[in-house]
Amino acid sequence: MSRPITYLRGDATVPQAKGVKIIAHVCNDAGGWGKGFVLALSRRWKEPEAAYRLWHRGRSGNDFALGAVQFVQVEKYIWVANMIGQHGTKTGSKGPPVRYQAIGSALVRLAARAGELGASVHMPRIGCGLAGGRWELVEPLVEDSLVAAGVAVTVYDFD
């Protein structure tokens, strides 16, 4: 029986749970890291940004693309999932940079890894900040991938 998503006020970089935790967030496919939730991540740990930048630099020879996920261990029981779910960084003729299909693909990969690690997943309202997405479109993706797989999910709304 899957549990519904838990919503909390607070900071997703300080996950409220016991055991192994994965902090999931959406990155762009342009190599940009410097606005939004990533700033909070970078204030706590240097590894997620360094790994993302290296992954982007080596993209001609790796899996860096929309829908891909990079898992970075930052503490003994905490991982960060860099999920590529936005195309570019600006709203243009094709609308906001969010790519729902890519977020959906990334969440399926995240569910598999959370299962392997026995981890809970913690996130802000992914894809809904700078990416310009709408939570009512992202939430079903989270439910269909993570919640359906029995992964405990907590979504944080930062004050």
Side-chain angles (χ1 to χ4, degrees), residues 41-62:
L41 282 174
S42 291
R43 276 194 292 274
R44 294 215 45 176
W45 306 286
K46 63 184 184 318
E47 297 90 349
E49 177 180 358
Y52 169 81
R53 291 191 183 281
L54 198 62
W55 189 29
H56 177 261
R57 262 200 309 281
R59 66 192 177 280
S60 63
N62 65 32

Side-chain angles (χ1 to χ4, degrees), residues 47-155:
E47 297 90 349
E49 177 180 358
Y52 169 81
R53 291 191 183 281
L54 198 62
W55 189 29
H56 177 261
R57 262 200 309 281
R59 66 192 177 280
S60 63
N62 65 32
D63 68 343
F64 185 96
L66 284 168
V69 187
Q70 179 188 52
F71 296 94
V72 184
Q73 191 166 12
V74 293
E75 291 182 20
K76 186 173 181 185
Y77 297 108
I78 301 180
W79 294 73
V80 171
N82 291 334
M83 305 188 301
I84 310 298
Q86 94 181 54
H87 180 59
T89 57
K90 303 241 184 310
T91 295
S93 60
K94 291 186 166 66
V98 67
R99 293 296 179 266
Y100 297 107
Q101 189 176 348
I103 291 173
S105 299
L107 288 168
V108 169
R109 291 180 172 94
L110 174 59
R113 189 61 179 268
E116 290 165 15
L117 294 171
S120 55
V121 171
H122 304 263
M123 62 179 72
R125 292 189 187 231
I126 57 169
C128 298
L130 296 169
R134 300 202 337 259
W135 185 248
E136 62 267 25
L137 299 177
V138 175
E139 186 182 45
L141 300 173
V142 173
E143 291 170 342
D144 293 347
S145 53
L146 296 168
V147 174
V151 176
V153 178
T154 304
V155 172

Side-chain angles (χ1 to χ4, degrees), residues 16-34:
Q16 304 298 306
K18 294 197 182 326
V20 180
K21 299 165 278 292
I22 301 173
I23 299 168
H25 70 110
V26 167
C27 302
N28 63 66
D29 65 357
W33 181 291

